Amino acid sequence: MTVSYTLEVANAKFGGFSKLLFRWRGSIYKLLYKEFLVFCLLYSFFSVFYRFFLTEKQQLLFENVALYCDQFTNFIPMSFVLGFYVTLAFNRWWGQYTSFPLPDNLMMVVSGNVHGLDERGRLLRRTLMRYANLSSVLILRSISTRVRRRFPTLEQVVDAGFMTPLEHRQLDGLYSDFNKYWMPLTWFTNLASRARQEGRIRDDVALRLLMDELNNYRGKCSLLFHYDWISIPLVYTQVVTLAVYSFFGFCLISRQFLNPEKGYKGHQLDLYVPVFTLLQFFFYAGWLKVGELIINPFGEDDDDFETNQLIDRNIQVSMLAVDDMHQNLPPTEKDKFWVERYFSVPYSTGTETLRPTFMGSTYDIRLLGRRKPTR
């Protein structure tokens, strides 16, 4: 399930973010601890090897190599490469989130423009929305591991009620080399045209509105498919990964504490534990892990999208909107302020005090006099 902490940071306060540091699920500690332990073990190995297993001549060679690596390691542009990559990955992550096909607009149009309180009208509305939801299920089966585990075959989709056995046979019977998530949307358009012929959709304007919303919905399904198909270029991911791994590979040698008796610059202390190097690894490798986490949010990580929950939500609310709520209106009554020309909405106990209405930043300026025009 997606990790949410919005309520805990609703108000800015002292140490507001600090309490989030002690969470495990969805945390950077959970993502990074294995790599961190490997780095610590390798660093300890080189440190022990340098101190106890090398001869004096071999130690001198090791020290020269360490100084050389320390001099040139900073030539690797870590901040630039990682920052640009994570920004690109985040923009892609947000684009995928905003491309998720939600049926809300479509179900409103179907509920308001496909008329009929009889069984035929109800069947048309429910079938239209079922086709729309079926299309999203088919596309999510193609890109989300969670949905694929839930519906490993189309028989499970039939058993779940998104598709009838006859529709399943028609879907399998149409040969295509490509993904057929668009087929239920084609059924939708044909059924909407039939509803127009039957007078269930009363004019062409309503039909056009329905088709426009369907095309928006189809466009999001298609965009999700292309996000899954077209990844960030592999060469860029390789460059970033090699930059981070090579940098800290050289750090295993360059950040060793050398014998302070030999007077090497910057090696006056022998602390054994490279605190700032470990912090640097935590930040840079954690940054890389952030990119790895968000580059594909349709997996099974703690912070990946809850696709199964969205499927459940979409089918439920769409059926409620076009069936239970169709022409099911509460009686219209005069509102509470019917006879009041000027009124204000009351505040409950404990809410903030009412402040003067904002009228503009220059509203309260009082001009003392006009400046004389200069010639």
Side-chain angles (χ1 to χ4, degrees):
M1 177 177 284
T2 303
V3 179
S4 178
Y5 54 89
T6 308
L7 180 61
E8 298 182 32
V9 295
N11 300 314
K13 51 190 175 183
F14 177 74
F17 280 175
S18 59
K19 64 177 65 174
L20 302 178
L21 299 178
F22 301 99
R23 288 192 171 194
W24 175 254
R25 196 171 66 86
S27 67
I28 186 60
Y29 320 119
K30 185 177 180 180
L31 283 176
L32 192 61
Y33 78 94
K34 294 180 181 179
E35 287 86 348
F36 188 78
L37 290 177
V38 169
F39 182 79
C40 291
L41 290 175
L42 289 175
Y43 184 90
S44 301
F45 169 78
F46 281 106
S47 179
V48 172
F49 191 74
Y50 161 68
R51 296 171 188 273
F52 301 106
F53 293 95
L54 296 182
T55 64
E56 186 174 343
K57 184 177 180 180
Q58 290 171 336
Q59 283 184 346
L60 179 62
L61 177 61
F62 183 93
E63 290 161 357
N64 289 331
V65 172
L67 293 173
Y68 177 81
C69 292
D70 189 47
Q71 181 181 0
F72 293 101
T73 298
N74 291 328
F75 284 7
I76 301 175
M78 291 279 290
S79 298
F80 171 76
V81 172
L82 264 177
F84 189 76
Y85 182 79
V86 174
T87 300
L88 181 62
F90 177 80
N91 291 334
R92 175 185 172 86
W93 175 86
W94 184 251
Q96 291 179 86
Y97 172 74
T98 56
S99 300
F100 199 91
L102 297 175
D104 298 53
N105 291 343
L106 185 60
M107 71 189 188
M108 299 300 177
V109 176
V110 170
S111 181
N113 292 281
V114 182
H115 301 279
L117 297 176
D118 57 346
E119 184 175 353
R120 174 61 178 171
R122 182 187 178 196
L123 180 62
L124 285 172
R125 290 189 299 273
R126 290 181 66 92
T127 304
L128 288 171
M129 292 313 302
R130 184 168 58 80
Y131 286 160
N133 281 276
L134 173 59
S135 180
S136 67
V137 169
L138 293 180
I139 193 63
L140 288 173
R141 282 185 71 248
S142 304
I143 67 174
S144 172
T145 56
R146 287 179 176 176
V147 179
R148 191 70 179 192
R149 289 181 186 275
R150 182 181 181 182
F151 304 114
T153 64
L154 289 179
E155 282 74 16
Q156 277 77 26
V157 179
V158 174
D159 294 338
F162 289 97
M163 182 168 49
T164 66
L166 178 60
E167 292 165 354
H168 182 202
R169 289 193 294 271
Q170 289 189 6
L171 190 69
D172 283 342
L174 181 66
Y175 173 78
S176 176
D177 292 327
F178 304 100
N179 194 305
K180 293 186 282 188
Y181 71 89
W182 48 269
M183 277 191 65
L185 300 180
T186 306
W187 296 340
F188 185 107
T189 58
N190 293 331
L191 186 60
S193 298
R194 184 175 298 178
R196 174 69 181 100
Q197 295 172 0
E198 295 176 5
R200 302 286 179 169
I201 300 176
R202 294 177 179 172
D203 53 54
D204 292 336
V205 175
L207 181 61
R208 173 64 183 273
L209 178 61
L210 184 61
M211 292 302 174
D212 288 343
E213 289 299 335
L214 178 67
N215 284 329
N216 291 335
Y217 188 86
R218 180 208 55 78
K220 290 189 173 183
C221 291
S222 176
L223 195 55
L224 280 185
F225 180 76
H226 285 84
Y227 268 122
D228 185 65
W229 183 17
I230 308 298
S231 304
I232 294 176
L234 177 62
V235 291
Y236 194 14
T237 303
Q238 289 175 333
V239 166
V240 174
T241 305
L242 285 174
V244 175
Y245 286 4
S246 61
F247 177 83
F248 287 106
F250 288 119
C251 282
L252 291 173
I253 298 177
S254 65
R255 301 297 176 84
Q256 293 289 336
F257 290 101
L258 305 181
N259 190 347
E261 296 179 357
K262 297 186 177 181
Y264 294 119
K265 183 179 179 181
H267 290 272
Q268 289 77 25
L269 294 176
D270 190 359
L271 300 179
Y272 294 95
V273 179
V275 177
F276 290 99
T277 299
L278 295 180
L279 286 176
Q280 193 175 32
F281 179 85
F282 189 83
F283 297 143
Y284 280 137
W287 210 355
L288 181 64
K289 278 293 182 181
V290 171
E292 182 182 342
L293 175 69
I294 64 179
I295 195 171
N296 181 11
F298 291 101
E300 299 179 74
D301 294 320
D302 289 339
D303 260 322
D304 283 342
F305 297 157
E306 290 290 339
T307 46
N308 281 322
Q309 187 174 356
L310 285 169
I311 288 174
D312 296 339
R313 179 261 177 197
N314 290 346
I315 188 64
Q316 184 182 97
V317 299
S318 58
M319 291 304 178
L320 287 174
V322 301
D323 194 358
D324 296 57
M325 295 187 65
H326 178 70
Q327 299 300 325
N328 185 12
L329 300 173
T332 55
E333 299 178 356
K334 295 180 180 179
D335 60 81
K336 182 179 180 180
F337 311 106
W338 181 267
V339 297
E340 300 180 29
R341 186 172 182 182
Y342 303 102
F343 61 88
S344 60
V345 181
Y347 287 75
S348 61
T349 305
T351 55
E352 61 180 1
T353 57
L354 187 63
R355 298 178 180 178
T357 305
F358 179 74
M359 302 296 292
S361 58
T362 62
Y363 183 76
D364 292 326
I365 292 181
R366 298 292 182 267
L367 299 180
L368 299 180
R370 293 185 177 180
R371 295 177 60 186
K372 295 182 179 180
T374 56
R375 296 181 179 178

